[in-house]
Amino acid sequence: IKQNRGSQGEGIWIVKLKDESSYCTQYGETMVSLDTELVLMEAFDNHVEYHTVGEFIDFCIYGRLPGGSAVEWTTTSAGKYFDGGLAAGAMVVDQRFLPRIVEGEVRCLMVGSELVEIVHKKPAEGGLSATLQSGATYTKFAPDHSKFAKLVKNFKEDIPHIMDSFGMSNEPLPLLWTADYIYGETDDDLHVGEINCSCVGITQQLSFCPIVAEVAVRAIFER
């Protein structure tokens, strides 16, 4: 469960039933009650909390404000993921959990339509989060590294269609953005977990500054 405007894994929760024997055999076969107990791990720092479905829903809506459940939360997140409504981009995304996240995410770092770097972000031992805050290890690869040849080929074929899929075909690609992939059943089977253009920086990759400047100028004067 992911809030739409978090950073570094804040407000991103890996949600499991505490009683794993209660899972149904087919999706949609049954529903949980509000008092069903959950195990919640936040991607920000891999900490774990135990709450009911009702308590978790209240936290997402009310946070720690009056009106929510009177329970203790150890997260640094304030909750209230719907504050401001859709106009402010407030929403929660329900995303299928991919168990190979323990092997890390593969990030494609983009400057406009240019792939400038691939980063393999591996979570700390026993964790699921691939953020630096949680202790993940980052390994950098050149865009043409053979290990990711199929991923890059498929990604480059998708790039021309990305803005159109958002109904923004007349707009350029963001100046700085990333696409994060998680491994599926095979090493060639990767799924997009996130496309991010709201909190991307190159503070440790200053060698990319000339490319950023070139793409920025081109985007302005070619419009």
Side-chain angles (χ1 to χ4, degrees):
I1 301 293
K2 309 171 72 169
Q3 68 160 322
N4 191 42
R5 54 190 178 193
S7 177
Q8 286 289 309
E10 180 190 352
I12 298 177
W13 298 91
I14 294 97
V15 182
K16 296 169 59 177
L17 293 178
K18 187 174 183 180
D19 178 8
E20 296 194 27
S21 67
S22 297
Y23 281 112
C24 53
T25 56
Q26 185 174 349
Y27 180 75
E29 186 177 67
T30 187
M31 294 179 63
V32 295
S33 62
L34 292 177
D35 59 358
T36 300
E37 295 182 305
L38 301 174
V39 180
L40 306 166
M41 176 184 283
E42 190 175 19
F44 178 66
D45 57 6
N46 288 322
H47 87 280
V48 175
E49 304 201 28
Y50 301 89
H51 298 285
T52 66
V53 172
E55 290 166 354
F56 183 51
I57 292 174
D58 276 354
F59 180 75
C60 291
I61 298 172
Y62 303 110
R64 295 181 173 86
L65 296 177
S69 304
V71 295
E72 291 288 330
W73 287 81
T74 58
T75 176
T76 59
S77 173
K80 300 186 290 183
Y81 302 139
F82 297 95
D83 268 18
L86 287 176
M91 64 182 73
V92 169
V93 179
D94 175 8
Q95 191 172 52
R96 180 167 67 95
F97 178 72
L98 296 170
R100 290 188 69 187
I101 185 62
V102 296
E103 300 172 40
E105 294 179 337
V106 178
R107 165 165 288 185
C108 294
L109 176 60
M110 303 292 297
V111 179
S113 61
E114 301 289 326
L115 174 61
V116 295
E117 187 175 72
I118 297 173
V119 183
H120 180 228
K121 308 188 299 177
K122 190 177 190 309
E125 190 67 32
L128 297 173
S129 172
T131 65
L132 287 173
Q133 175 71 26
S134 65
T137 301
Y138 284 23
T139 305
K140 300 177 181 179
F141 297 87
D144 58 355
H145 197 285
S146 58
K147 182 176 182 179
F148 303 105
K150 185 174 181 180
L151 168 64
V152 171
K153 176 181 178 295
N154 292 336
F155 181 46
K156 287 185 174 180
E157 290 175 356
D158 287 337
I159 287 173
H161 309 291
I162 289 177
M163 297 305 289
D164 189 47
S165 70
F166 291 116
M168 303 171 69
S169 57
N170 294 325
E171 297 294 329
L173 287 161
L175 180 60
L176 285 172
W177 60 287
T178 63
D180 293 344
Y181 288 84
I182 303 172
Y183 286 106
E185 293 183 1
T186 70
D187 287 352
D188 286 331
D189 178 29
L190 291 104
H191 303 271
V192 176
E194 176 180 81
I195 292 178
N196 189 349
C197 64
S198 63
C199 53
V200 181
I202 54 169
T203 54
Q204 299 180 31
Q205 301 118 307
L206 298 183
S207 60
F208 296 146
C209 287
I211 302 175
V212 174
E214 179 184 342
V215 173
V217 170
R218 192 166 64 230
I220 292 171
F221 288 100
E222 289 182 357
R223 295 197 69 179

